[in-house]
Amino acid sequence: MGWTISHGVNNTRSATTIHNLGKHLAHVLSASDWRTIEPVFGDRSGDPFRVPHTDARHIAAVLRRAVSHRKMPADWGALAREFADAAQKAADARQAWEWR
């Protein structure tokens, strides 16, 4: 299964890729930050969902902290940055960030 993610995430991302990114994020983030993004990057049912623009803004900030962490591998950091940018675009447009 793949995820199509709104607001600028290029290409469909596989559930495996999202799961693996979640593992890297969990490794470098504080428990509080992980709780902020866990509804998106934790284990999902595979059903489409929408993140309200206010939540997308917080998620973008957390993802940017993860990207800058010294233990975040560069390739996974680049992917996290792409997600942060998409979440920020949704927030700036006051639109839901959609995952389908």
Side-chain angles (χ1 to χ4, degrees):
M1 181 188 94
W3 287 102
T4 301
I5 303 154
S6 71
H7 293 87
V9 173
N10 297 321
N11 305 319
T12 299
R13 302 298 178 166
S14 72
T16 301
T17 297
I18 301 301
H19 177 76
N20 289 337
L21 175 59
K23 285 183 177 183
H24 286 285
L25 293 168
H27 181 70
V28 302
L29 291 172
S30 67
S32 175
D33 278 346
W34 173 248
R35 280 191 300 274
T36 299
I37 67 168
E38 193 276 332
V40 176
F41 292 96
D43 291 330
R44 302 273 328 159
S45 67
D47 294 332
F49 63 98
R50 298 167 61 127
V51 177
H53 69 88
T54 52
D55 293 343
R57 185 174 314 282
H58 295 293
I59 290 168
V62 169
L63 290 172
R64 286 197 174 86
R65 283 194 288 278
V67 167
S68 64
H69 194 282
R70 63 183 176 81
K71 291 185 179 179
M72 176 61 81
D75 53 345
W76 290 103
L79 182 59
R81 184 177 301 107
E82 184 178 358
F83 282 95
D85 292 345
Q88 189 65 55
K89 284 180 188 174
D92 290 347
R94 297 177 151 277
Q95 297 172 344
W97 190 31
E98 297 181 1
W99 290 57
R100 37 192 189 317

